Each structure stands twice: as structure tokens, then as C-alpha cells.
């Protein structure tokens, strides 16, 4: 039996030698990770992707191309937690280890990828970690675990790069009615991250209500303002206008279908307007019962505001509205701290036949196990790629696991800034960003509680309007059988690429929006995406996730053969 040679030593340029020459662990002075919330599958081989289906609207559509749900807020069972703990230490029992032939870089071999059991164990592990707030203890521990997994996957050239941020964190918070016959504590669904801070004893002020559509004025000064976060559902026709292709062979979605997610309505504009008028604090009402609203963690643009705020569910909101006459006093306690901390990007290199680079990317911080399980898939991809002959890889492959998605993209921005003048960015031919794999759709039932629909979550592959990227993305969706999904051009093509003005939703937008580096960004947006602490191990199709992992590897290898100029050829 052949085993992996871990000693690849080919030099791939001066910048790369500097990048991987030494292991530079960055000390992380993280804050606390207070969460805002008070069955194994068998391996599956890939089908033939050439099966005709006239219902597809991809590049070859003209000729045809191929009992009760658990409570969404409960923790994973103990047995699963134990499995996750065992899976997080880099153990490689059952991993394929043989060196792969060069032909497996042309057509990937699905049997040589990590099992669905491994993906599931890692998903349970992520659930057990809870909220991984950027730079916090749980987040940095996950980065260390990923480092160890990549070592086990055969990547010997690894290092950390620092990213500095002003980290907002809080251990506890509360809301109470402080006067009148209704005096007493009020259950909150969550805090609003980075919203502001109060003394340890809280602030007490009159409660007033701001109606939907009303503009705050000077009358809110010194008051705690209650307002609705009104849902803004989007018809799928909105996405279709940006879609180069649609992959939906079973015709499971239509333009008239409504895409409704509570996090599509960010409280940011109202908070900023209230702050400008001198409001003392804010209470944002999520239109959902407590079990669905619990753990909401947004916005995450890294803007330090001065209007301490919490979320409440619809029932608590209704009770507070009845008291919001300007005479009832409420006490809001949110004693957050702001600390300068260093978080880390994790970078690994698999040398190829040239100094040009293809990047695999995802982010390491997140609210729960779906947000984001992309790094776990990337470890599985790396374990395959590291066993291929170096000469069979047309480009060097970089694993880039960025920090700071939940702090305004601080990790991606730090990477782009750090390498703005050392030649590295010019060597990158393309980036493949993968997020939220295998997600299953859970929607509110008639009681507003999340329940499984039995369908996969709608996916989107975002990218600049480049034909080679669009075609490769459609082929990936076919190979993975990852329907329904859109191949999307930028939804905000004139965006600047920062967190408040992205070119599309997803971590990959920083590379194109700021760096003008071609990026393909796969992402799904399930209802539970931004609920910290929600269990996700029961919300993932592991056969699908494995197919996606295999198909992304095939896509990456094929993109590595496309001339760099073609990957930047934006259509007019």
C-alpha cells in the first residue's frame, strides 16, 4: 500500500516561501462567547452528470443536460456530542490514505473522499461549540482544531496570519419593566451585537413605540424605543433577474415563490436613526415566537454603535407595546465590553505545477453549525488534493480559512491588505468560497415554529459575470445534484465590497468587491442561519454535503486549467 508523502518541497516563488516558511501562531486575546440564546448516513457515489433533462436552464439546456421534528433550539444529544468530541482532535481512523494517480486530478474519484459519517461527526462537533463570535475563545479553539485537521489531511505548509479588531462582547443582559402594575422581568430573544453598552446596573428610561415607517425625531431622545423589525419577503423572481442559469431539473421552485427570512430585515437603519436622535436604547421585535427568534445574531458589520439594544419575540413585543406610552419606565442592562483583540486567518498550501494559485475559502467564525460548515468540507477536499501528484495540479492550491465574517469581514480584508503589495494577490487566478453545505429547508409552521419541509435549501452560486465561472458553476451543480440553485451574477455590481455595501451576500464577495479577484461563492440561506446555538446536525443532508464536496473538488481542478485571463473576462 502506498501512503501519502508529506514532504513536498518544491519552491513556488519568493512570496510563497515567505508565506509558508515558518509557523507564526498569533496570540488571540479573545473575549467571551456568550451565546445570545438563554443518524449517520452511508457514502454515496456520484451519478453520471450527463443525463439529459430539458427542464434545466443551464449552458446546455438547448440539447438537455443532465415523525415530529425536534425543537430547533435544543442542544444535540449527549451521544452525538461525544462523537463530535472524538472527531475534533484530528483523528484519521477510516480516512483514505493511498496516493492517488494523476488521472484522479482529471476526473475525481468519489470513493477517495472522507465519509458522510466523518462529515456528520464534525457537524455535531460544531453544534457543541455554539456561537463562535469573532476572536472569542470558542472561535479561536475551532481555528486550532481546523489547523490540526489540515495537518492530518496532509498539508504541511500551514501558518496563521493576524487580523485585529475592536471586539464587542457581553456575558449577560436583561430587560425589565421598572414601573407600574406590570413591573417585572421581560424575556429577551437575544442582544443586538455591537449595538452599545450600559453600566452594570443598566439604564432606566421611558418606553416609547416607533411605528413602522415613522422617522425618529428629537422626541425619542433619552428614551428606550420599541420598534418592529418588519419582514421583507422577496419573490424568487428577484433572484432570477440576476441568474445566468437555473439548475432545477425537478422544477421545484418558481418565480412566484416567496423567499422569507427574518434576517433579511436588518434593524440597522432604524438603530442608526435612533442613535442620531439621541435615544437611550432600543428594543427590536422579531415577528416570530420565542423558540424561533431565540439566538438572533445580527447585524454583524463591525460598526460599534452607541444605542444598547435587545431583540424580543412577538409575544413579548405585544406586551411591551401596550405599555409604550412614554410614562412606563423600563430597565435595559447590556454591560458589554470592547477590547482590541487579534484573531487569525489560517492559510495552507498544496504545491502544484505552477506558481499560479487557486484558492479554496470559507470562514471560521459563526453562529451555529451551518454557519459555517464550509471549513469542514475544505478539510475533506484538502485530504483528497494533498494525495495527488504535484505535477498533476495545474496550479498551486491555497486553503484560506478567513476569520471575521461576523465582524464585517475583518479577516478577508486583512488578507487583502497584508498582501496588497507583495505579489501574492496577482498570483491568484481564482477563489472558490463554499458556505452552508448540505442545508435542508426548515420553515415556520402554522404556529411560527421551524419545521422541516423535506426539501433542500435553495442555493446560490455568486460570481462576476464571467462565462468560464458561470459554466463551471453549473457543471458543479449538475455533478453534485445540488438542486434547486441559481448561478448568479452580482446582485449589487456597483458595490464597494465592504460589509455595508457588498457585491453579493457571502464571504467571497470581499475578494471580488475589494480585490477584483475572480471568486465563485456557493451559499445557502436557511431560516436558522443566524440563530446562535441552534442545533444543525439534524438539518443537514450528509449525502448531499459529500456530493457537494466532491463536485467542488472537481470544479476547482477544472478551473485550475482555465487561463487566468479567461477567469477575469467580465462580459459587457
Amino acid at each position: 500500500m502506498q501512503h501519502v508523502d508529506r514532504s513536498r518541497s518544491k519552491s513556488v516563488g519568493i512570496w510563497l516561501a515567505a508565506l509558508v516558511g515558518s509557523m507564526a501562531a498569533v496570540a488571540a486575546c479573545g473575549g467571551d462567547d456568550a451565546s445570545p440564546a438563554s443518524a449517520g448516513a452511508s457514502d454515496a457515489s456520484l451519478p453520471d452528470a450527463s443525463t439529459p433533462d430539458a427542464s434545466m436552464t443551464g449552458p446546455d439546456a438547448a440539447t438537455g443536460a443532465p415523525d415530529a421534528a425536534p425543537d430547533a433550539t435544543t442542544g444535540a444529544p449527549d451521544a452525538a456530542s461525544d462523537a463530535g468530541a472524538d472527531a475534533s482532535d484530528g483523528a484519521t481512523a477510516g480516512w483514505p490514505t493511498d496516493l492517488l494517480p494523476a488521472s484522479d486530478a482529471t476526473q475525481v474519484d468519489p470513493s477517495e473522499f472522507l465519509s458522510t459519517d466523518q462529515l456528520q461527526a464534525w457537524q455535531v462537533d460544531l453544534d457543541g461549540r455554539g456561537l463562535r463570535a469573532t476572536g472569542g475563545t470558542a472561535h479561536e479553539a475551532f481555528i486550532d482544531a481546523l489547523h490540526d485537521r489540515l495537518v492530518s489531511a496532509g498539508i504541511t505548509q500551514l501558518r496563521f496570519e493576524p487580523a485585529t479588531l475592536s471586539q464587542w462582547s457581553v456575558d449577560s443582559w436583561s430587560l425589565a419593566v421598572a414601573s407600574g402594575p406590570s413591573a417585572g422581568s421581560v424575556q429577551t430573544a437575544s442582544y443586538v451585537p455591537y449595538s452599545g453598552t450600559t453600566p452594570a446596573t443598566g439604564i432606566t428610561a421611558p418606553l416609547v413605540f416607533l411605528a413602522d415607517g415613522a422617522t425618529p425625531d428629537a422626541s425619542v431622545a433619552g428614551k428606550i424605543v420599541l420598534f418592529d423589525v418588519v419582514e421583507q419577503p422577496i419573490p424568487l423572481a428577484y433572484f432570477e433577474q440576476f441568474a445566468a442559469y437555473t439548475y432545477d431539473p425537478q422544477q421545484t421552485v418558481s418565480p412566484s415563490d416567496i423567499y422569507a427570512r427574518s434576517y433579511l430585515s436588518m434593524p440597522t437603519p432604524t438603530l442608526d436613526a435612533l442613535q442620531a436622535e439621541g435615544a437611550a436604547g432600543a428594543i427590536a421585535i422579531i415577528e416570530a415566537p420565542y423558540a424561533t427568534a431565540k439566538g438572533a445574531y445580527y447585524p454583524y458589520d463591525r460598526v460599534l454603535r452607541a444605542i444598547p439594544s435587545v431583540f424580543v419575540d412577538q409575544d413579548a413585543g405585544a406586551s411591551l407595546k401596550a405599555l409604550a406610552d412614554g410614562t412606563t419606565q423600563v430597565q435595559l442592562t447590556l454591560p458589554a465590553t470592547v477590547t482590541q483583540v487579534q484573531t487569525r486567518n489560517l492559510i495552507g498550501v498544496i504545491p502544484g505545477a505552477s506558481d499560479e494559485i487557486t484558492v479554496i475559502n470559507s470562514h471560521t467564525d459563526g453562529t451555529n453549525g451551518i454557519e459555517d460548515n464550509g471549513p469542514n468540507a475544505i478539510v475533506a477536499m484538502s485530504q483528497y488534493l494533498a494525495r495527488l501528484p504535484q505535477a498533476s495540479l495545474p496550479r498551486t492550491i491555497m486553503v484560506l480559512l478567513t476569520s471575521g465574517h461576523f465582524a464585517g469581514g475583518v479577516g478577508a480584508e486583512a488578507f487583502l491588505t497584508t498582501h496588497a503589495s507583495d505579489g501574492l494577490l496577482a498570483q491568484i487566478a481564482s477563489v472558490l468560497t463554499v458556505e452552508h453545505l448540505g442545508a435542508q429547508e426548515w420553515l415556520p409552521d402554522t404556529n411560527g415554529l421551524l419545521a422541516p419541509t423535506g426539501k433542500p435549501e435553495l442555493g446560490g452560486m455568486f460570481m462576476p459575470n464571467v462565462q468560464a465561472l458561470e459554466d463551471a458553476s453549473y457543471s458543479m451543480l449538475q455533478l453534485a445534484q445540488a438542486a434547486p440553485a441559481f448561478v448568479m451574477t452580482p446582485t449589487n455590481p456597483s458595490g464597494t465590497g465592504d460589509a455595508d455595501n457588498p457585491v453579493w451576500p457571502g464571504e467571497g464577495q470581499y475578494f471580488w468587491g475589494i480585490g477584483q479577484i475572480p471568486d465563485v461563492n456557493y451559499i445557502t440561506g436557511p431560516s436558522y442561519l443566524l440563530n446562535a446555538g441552534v442545533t444543525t446536525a439534524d438539518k443537514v443532508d450528509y449525502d448531499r454535503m459529500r456530493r457537494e464536496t466532491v463536485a467542488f473538488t472537481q470544479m476547482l481542478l477544472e478551473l485550475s486549467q482555465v487561463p487566468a485571463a479567461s477567469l477575469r473576462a467580465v462580459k459587457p
Side-chain angles (χ1 to χ4, degrees):
M1 175 182 291
Q2 285 184 306
H3 291 281
V4 181
D5 178 6
R6 309 294 191 190
S7 61
R8 295 178 186 231
S9 59
K10 180 178 184 293
S11 170
V12 287
I14 295 174
W15 65 263
L16 188 57
L19 182 68
V20 302
S22 64
M23 188 71 168
V26 178
C29 311
D32 295 314
D33 285 313
S35 169
S38 315
S42 60
D43 295 354
S45 59
L46 289 172
D48 182 356
S50 63
T51 305
D53 193 315
S55 67
M56 302 180 197
T57 60
D60 49 1
T63 57
D67 46 67
D71 180 73
T73 63
T74 58
D78 291 341
S81 297
D82 291 342
D86 292 341
S88 66
D89 60 3
T92 59
W95 289 19
T97 58
D98 287 355
L99 288 170
L100 300 174
S103 59
D104 283 357
T106 302
Q107 181 64 52
V108 298
D109 182 353
S111 70
E112 289 291 338
F113 283 78
L114 299 186
S115 69
T116 54
D117 288 343
Q118 179 65 85
L119 297 175
Q120 184 176 21
W122 280 342
Q123 193 72 36
V124 172
D125 169 68
L126 261 181
D127 277 352
R129 295 176 186 273
L131 172 66
R132 303 181 313 286
T134 309
T137 303
H139 176 218
E140 296 300 321
F142 184 51
I143 296 173
D144 288 334
L146 289 168
H147 172 274
D148 293 345
R149 291 174 192 174
L150 287 170
V151 170
S152 297
I155 299 185
T156 58
Q157 300 182 14
L158 285 163
R159 68 168 283 152
F160 297 112
E161 287 188 349
T164 302
L165 73 148
S166 296
Q167 183 201 58
W168 182 99
S169 62
V170 68
D171 290 324
S172 61
W173 62 99
S174 64
L175 180 65
V177 176
S179 67
S182 299
S185 63
V186 177
Q187 180 173 251
T188 63
S190 176
Y191 53 75
V192 178
Y194 287 80
S195 61
T197 186
T198 72
T201 55
I203 57 172
T204 301
L207 179 67
V208 297
F209 178 67
L210 181 70
D212 181 42
T215 301
D217 57 25
S219 66
V220 303
K223 297 180 175 65
I224 294 175
V225 182
L226 179 71
F227 67 95
D228 289 303
V229 183
V230 180
E231 284 200 6
Q232 298 177 344
I234 301 172
L236 290 190
Y238 170 82
F239 296 108
E240 285 201 337
Q241 68 179 311
F242 299 102
Y245 305 124
T246 298
Y247 178 65
D248 185 25
Q250 302 302 317
Q251 297 181 320
T252 60
V253 297
S254 74
S256 61
D257 289 345
I258 299 299
Y259 189 79
R261 303 291 186 269
S262 61
Y263 56 75
L264 294 177
S265 303
M266 288 283 173
T268 312
T270 302
L271 292 177
D272 290 343
L274 291 172
Q275 178 177 313
E277 294 294 343
I283 304 168
I285 305 170
I286 296 175
E287 295 180 348
Y290 176 76
T292 303
K294 181 182 179 184
Y297 190 88
Y298 50 86
Y300 45 90
D301 54 9
R302 203 169 83 244
V303 175
L304 290 167
R305 295 179 169 83
I307 180 162
S309 308
V310 294
F311 288 115
V312 296
D313 67 88
Q314 61 190 15
D315 295 328
S319 297
L320 289 170
K321 283 181 182 179
L323 303 174
D325 58 2
T327 63
T328 301
Q329 300 279 314
V330 294
Q331 182 184 41
L332 173 61
T333 305
L334 190 66
T337 60
V338 177
T339 310
Q340 285 291 113
V341 303
Q342 277 192 338
T343 183
R344 299 167 293 170
N345 292 330
L346 174 56
I347 300 174
V349 174
I350 303 173
S354 77
D355 289 358
E356 284 191 332
I357 303 166
T358 298
V359 175
I360 327 170
N361 166 249
S362 192
H363 63 88
T364 54
D365 53 341
T367 49
N368 56 47
I370 282 288
E371 180 73 271
D372 200 307
N373 61 9
N376 291 339
I378 287 174
V379 173
M381 294 172 67
S382 300
Q383 207 271 343
Y384 182 93
L385 293 165
R387 292 183 289 129
L388 290 168
Q390 182 172 332
S392 71
L393 299 174
R395 293 189 174 111
T396 290
I397 297 170
M398 174 185 287
V399 173
L400 175 57
L401 301 181
T402 43
S403 178
H405 184 76
F406 280 83
V410 66
E413 290 182 356
F415 176 81
L416 292 169
T417 300
T418 297
H419 300 289
S421 59
D422 65 4
L424 172 58
L425 302 185
Q427 297 298 108
I428 298 176
S430 64
V431 180
L432 174 59
T433 301
V434 297
E435 304 180 72
H436 320 157
L437 280 69
Q440 294 297 283
E441 184 182 67
W442 285 51
L443 295 177
D445 61 16
T446 55
N447 295 315
L449 301 176
L450 293 183
T453 66
K455 300 177 182 179
E457 183 67 29
L458 176 68
M461 298 190 75
F462 293 86
M463 66 208 71
N465 193 8
V466 173
Q467 193 67 52
L469 299 178
E470 294 168 0
D471 291 347
S473 297
Y474 187 81
S475 295
M476 174 270 155
L477 294 170
Q478 285 182 291
L479 187 60
Q481 293 183 305
F486 295 123
V487 175
M488 302 279 288
T489 57
T491 52
N492 181 27
S494 61
T496 57
D498 58 57
D500 285 325
N501 193 16
V503 293
W504 65 67
E507 180 74 0
Q509 74 89 23
Y510 295 102
F511 301 104
W512 177 248
I514 296 176
Q516 291 295 288
I517 300 171
D519 183 282
V520 174
N521 191 165
Y522 177 79
I523 192 169
T524 63
S527 295
Y528 48 88
L529 185 67
L530 299 183
N531 289 84
V534 68
T535 299
T536 65
D538 59 340
K539 300 176 178 63
V540 174
D541 179 340
Y542 297 100
D543 286 327
R544 180 186 175 106
M545 183 178 180
R546 189 174 186 273
R547 293 197 308 269
E548 290 170 342
T549 300
V550 173
F552 282 131
T553 307
Q554 181 73 48
M555 177 182 179
L556 179 143
L557 290 167
E558 290 178 356
L559 284 177
S560 294
Q561 301 181 55
V562 178
S566 297
L567 299 175
R568 295 176 180 268
V570 178
K571 293 183 287 187

